[in-house]
């Protein structure tokens, strides 16, 4: 039951990687960002559309150092600025 956001529910949801989506950057369409709720990371991949493959490039923390149980779930790019927004589901931020 995830309706309660207590420590037990957070621990259960963050026991393993839990990727939610693959979001391509709207500028060149070759950088894929994958929010990983379980690991509190945004994973980065290079997308090769000709081969249809993703190549791991690294990761970004979904919050400041020392914070955990954030749970990144959604990413959305600003329509005109080179900025993306991340919604952390577990911390409601």
């Amino acid at each position: 039951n995830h309706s309660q956001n207590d420590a037990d529910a957070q621990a259960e949801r963050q026991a393993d990687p839990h990727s939610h989506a693959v979001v391509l950057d709207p500028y060149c369409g070759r950088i894929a960002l994958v929010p990983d709720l379980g690991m509190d990371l945004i994973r980065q991949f290079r997308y090769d559309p000709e081969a249809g493959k993703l190549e791991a490039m690294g990761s970004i923390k979904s919050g400041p150092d020392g914070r955990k149980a954030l749970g990144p779930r959604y990413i959305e790019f600003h329509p005109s600025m080179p900025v993306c927004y991340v919604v952390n589901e577990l911390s409601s931020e």
Side-chain angles (χ1 to χ4, degrees):
N1 180 354
H2 300 307
S3 61
Q4 294 183 358
N5 193 19
D6 59 21
D8 291 338
Q10 289 178 354
E12 176 187 337
R13 295 187 76 193
Q14 293 201 295
D16 298 303
H18 184 100
S19 300
H20 178 68
V22 176
V23 179
L24 289 176
D25 78 281
Y27 307 104
C28 65
R30 293 189 178 246
I31 304 298
L33 301 173
V34 179
D36 186 334
L37 183 143
M39 299 289 108
D40 279 340
L41 297 171
I42 309 299
R43 299 187 186 279
Q44 297 173 300
F45 297 87
R46 178 177 293 118
Y47 173 58
D48 180 344
E50 289 80 30
K53 295 186 178 185
L54 296 173
E55 175 188 345
M57 292 176 45
S59 61
I60 305 165
K61 294 178 187 177
S62 65
D65 288 338
R67 295 285 311 276
K68 54 185 175 175
L70 300 171
R73 181 80 177 214
Y74 296 102
I75 297 175
E76 185 68 38
F77 282 85
H78 189 280
S80 61
M81 297 188 332
V83 174
C84 71
Y85 301 91
V86 176
V87 174
N88 286 317
E89 180 175 315
L90 298 179
S91 63
S92 298
E93 300 175 327

